[in-house]
Amino acid sequence: MVNNKEKYIDECNGIKVTGEFKRETAEKMRARLKQKEHAGHRTLRWAVPAAAAAVLLCAFTVFSVLRPAAVSAKENLMEGITARPVKAIAKEGENADFIKAQADFSINIFKNTVKEGKNSLVSPASISLALGMTANGAEGETLKQFEAILGGGMDIGSLNRQLGWENAAFKSLKDGRLDIANSIWYDNEKNLSVKKDFLQKNADYFGAGAFQLDFSDSGTLQKINSWVKSSTGGKIDKVINNISPNDVMYIINAVYFEQDWMKSYSSSTKEIFHTRGKDVTADYLRSAEVYMHDGESEGILKPLEGGKYSFAAFMPSESTEDIDAYIKNMTGAKYTGLVKPAEKILSQYGNGGKTQENYDEDFAVSSLPKFKYDFSASLKDALGAMGLTDAFDTGKADFGGMGKSDKGNIFVSDVMHKTFIQVNELGVEAAAATAVIDATGSSAPPKNTVTFDRPFVYAIVDNETCLPLFIGKVENPHA
């Protein structure tokens, strides 16, 4: 087998936010600023939406050095396959078990991919969905390993229901934008026969499309990348730069997220951020937010427009503690224990359950730097450390539920992940957010202060489950 790891790293590094997105953002800024200039009674406010994108690529290889002759096949393998209605939750307690398992998975994949001294970012949701699709083709011990890391050991039927529910829950937005797209691509030259049941399950639970093309045709590369661009609204224009002769299948998940703050910022200030070895000047955003703390960590939870998601930022309580050592000691239970109480406070203020007497304890004055970066990594070693090993082994991989090739055993050659996050300044009004945060009517400032002037962890959090759609580490706001 040819080792394609470096090739896929290069491919993932080629994933960029398109010029079209940059132009759209600039046009939005100009339009909103112009609108403010013509509205004399309105105050110019600065909002900072989170814009994040993730692509996960699972590359499958046939263990064979022979190149078979081309065979004819329909490009769209989903022709005649219609997604059937599925039951979201079937067993009592299944949902809670899944959320716990996914919290563990999210923190473990983050811990095992974080790069020492560098900015890092993963989308556990993107990774889970792509691996969940793959698991539907696995059998035997290979399947058990997928079930263990994704669902804490729950069977594939339960896992499908839960991932299907998660996929739908993540996309239930009233404001902002969240695009999640799934697809499967096969090479029709490797004499692959694909099982209909595998395609049907991926249609039912993941809304995945499946296509069979000639990977030796130069037009195939364009078709795959065009699908990615179309599925992400033009925000990601390329996921693959080259197709290796040994590649037989790609399973691709793409996620794009964009949302304004619920309450906008009024200004920014320049302050010092302490990176490893040197200090840099960063633009800081100051506000009062829900205070998170557990004795080991402290941070803030800031709601995003629409109330579906929030932005969490946290770091070790002791300023001398190394951020990577702190991350190494994180667990799903610790993460949930930190975020969940803050989510409860946020909900109580939103529902009018809290009064101004609690304000100084429940909130903190926060100074958060703006940041922007992208990140890419092979997940093969990280997933192996978490217990998913057989899928990558030429002799042990069992994907009999997916299909078969008369040219050799099918296995996963690599899993590549590419992410991007950007914080932009856009002129908008605070709208409903003001009612949530300012409803306390408190004139006294919070007694807690959290200044993110050193490396910290952040996450885009689903308010209902506390699961992170994205989770990352900022080492340097300018890196």
Side-chain angles (χ1 to χ4, degrees):
M1 179 195 144
V2 177
N3 186 347
N4 295 319
K5 181 174 180 179
E6 295 302 322
K7 178 180 78 69
Y8 286 116
I9 291 175
D10 290 340
E11 290 170 357
C12 283
N13 284 333
I15 303 170
K16 299 294 181 184
V17 172
T18 63
E20 180 184 351
F21 172 53
K22 295 176 181 177
R23 288 191 297 273
E24 287 178 1
T25 301
E27 289 172 1
K28 283 182 182 178
M29 292 175 68
R30 285 193 292 269
R32 292 186 183 184
L33 288 171
K34 186 175 181 181
Q35 183 181 15
K36 297 295 182 181
E37 290 170 358
H38 285 84
H41 64 286
R42 297 165 116 182
T43 304
L44 178 64
R45 306 297 297 273
W46 291 102
V48 185
V55 175
L56 187 105
L57 170 67
C58 290
F60 289 76
T61 298
V62 168
F63 187 57
S64 171
V65 295
L66 299 176
R67 186 172 179 80
V71 295
S72 61
K74 293 181 179 179
E75 288 189 359
N76 186 0
L77 294 179
M78 302 303 288
E79 189 173 324
I81 296 177
T82 304
R84 301 168 300 194
V86 293
K87 198 171 183 179
I89 310 298
K91 300 176 183 178
E92 185 177 352
E94 185 178 278
N95 186 242
D97 291 341
F98 174 75
I99 291 173
K100 180 182 180 299
Q102 279 289 291
D104 291 336
F105 175 81
S106 299
I107 299 305
N108 285 331
I109 197 68
F110 173 53
K111 287 166 58 174
N112 282 284
T113 54
V114 72
K115 295 183 179 180
E116 186 175 348
K118 295 183 179 180
N119 293 339
S120 302
L121 175 65
V122 294
S123 172
S126 174
I127 299 167
S128 291
L129 291 172
L131 294 182
M133 288 193 294
T134 307
N136 277 284
E139 295 181 339
E141 184 61 28
T142 304
L143 174 59
K144 288 181 181 179
Q145 291 179 3
F146 276 104
E147 291 171 337
I149 69 165
L150 292 174
M154 66 172 53
D155 62 80
I156 188 64
S158 299
L159 191 57
N160 277 335
R161 285 191 296 273
Q162 292 298 320
L163 288 171
W165 164 79
E166 182 182 60
N167 188 30
F170 274 135
K171 294 189 289 186
S172 59
L173 277 177
K174 294 181 180 178
D175 298 283
R177 179 172 182 177
L178 175 58
D179 296 331
I180 298 178
N182 302 302
S183 66
I184 305 165
W185 304 82
Y186 290 90
D187 185 0
N188 67 9
E189 286 198 341
K190 300 298 192 299
N191 291 351
L192 283 169
S193 60
V194 185
K195 291 190 175 181
K196 183 177 180 180
D197 185 58
F198 170 70
L199 299 177
Q200 184 67 63
K201 287 179 180 177
N202 278 299
D204 293 345
Y205 296 100
F206 302 95
F211 309 93
Q212 191 163 11
L213 303 170
D214 180 357
F215 277 20
S216 66
D217 186 335
S218 59
T220 295
L221 187 67
Q222 182 181 357
K223 287 181 179 180
I224 295 175
N225 285 328
S226 293
W227 177 90
V228 171
K229 183 175 181 178
S230 174
S231 298
T232 57
K235 305 304 184 290
I236 298 175
D237 61 0
K238 184 179 291 187
V239 65
I240 301 174
N241 288 332
N242 299 287
I243 296 177
S244 166
N246 287 335
D247 294 345
V248 297
M249 180 172 64
Y250 300 124
I251 290 182
I252 302 174
N253 168 273
V255 176
Y256 179 77
F257 177 85
E258 183 179 2
Q259 190 116 54
D260 287 345
W261 297 125
M262 186 176 279
K263 182 178 181 181
S264 59
Y265 289 100
S266 58
S267 62
S268 65
T269 59
K270 291 190 178 297
E271 299 176 30
I272 297 298
F273 187 93
H274 306 289
T275 68
R276 298 179 191 235
K278 67 175 182 177
D279 292 345
V280 298
T281 301
D283 292 323
Y284 278 78
L285 302 162
R286 188 176 173 87
S287 61
E289 308 298 344
V290 172
Y291 182 51
M292 299 196 307
H293 57 97
D294 63 3
E296 296 180 4
S297 319
E298 65 175 353
I300 56 101
L301 187 71
K302 183 176 180 64
L304 292 162
E305 191 175 18
K308 171 67 176 171
Y309 293 97
S310 291
F311 179 90
F314 51 97
M315 59 189 178
S317 299
E318 297 294 329
S319 61
T320 56
E321 185 174 350
D322 178 75
I323 189 66
D324 290 322
Y326 169 78
I327 292 172
K328 191 172 293 186
N329 290 324
M330 287 178 64
T331 65
K334 285 183 177 180
Y335 161 82
T336 303
L338 177 65
V339 175
K340 197 168 185 177
E343 289 281 11
K344 184 177 180 180
I345 291 172
L346 187 64
S347 175
Q348 288 173 333
Y349 273 93
N351 294 331
K354 285 279 188 176
T355 66
Q356 62 183 14
E357 287 138 11
N358 307 104
Y359 182 82
D360 62 337
E361 295 181 359
D362 291 341
F363 284 73
V365 175
S366 165
S367 294
L368 180 74
K370 296 181 290 185
F371 56 91
K372 168 188 172 182
Y373 62 88
D374 55 19
F375 176 79
S376 64
S378 166
L379 302 184
K380 182 177 179 178
D381 291 342
L383 292 170
M386 294 166 62
L388 186 65
T389 56
D390 285 9
F392 301 100
D393 191 302
T394 59
K396 295 181 179 179
D398 185 354
F399 288 102
M402 182 181 294
K404 64 180 181 178
S405 169
D406 59 8
K407 298 301 178 181
N409 192 35
I410 301 173
F411 67 100
V412 180
S413 59
D414 213 340
V415 177
M416 295 304 305
H417 193 45
K418 172 72 180 182
T419 54
F420 171 88
I421 190 161
Q422 183 177 18
V423 174
N424 286 326
E425 289 178 323
L426 299 175
V428 297
E429 288 186 296
T434 304
V436 173
I437 302 300
D438 291 347
T440 62
S442 175
S443 58
K447 66 180 182 181
N448 306 300
T449 301
V450 183
T451 302
F452 295 95
D453 60 354
R454 52 190 167 95
F456 61 93
V457 177
Y458 68 93
I460 297 173
V461 181
D462 182 287
N463 290 337
E464 180 183 356
T465 64
C466 293
L467 293 176
L469 181 61
F470 290 84
I471 183 168
K473 176 190 68 166
V474 172
E475 281 273 356
N476 185 340
H478 299 307

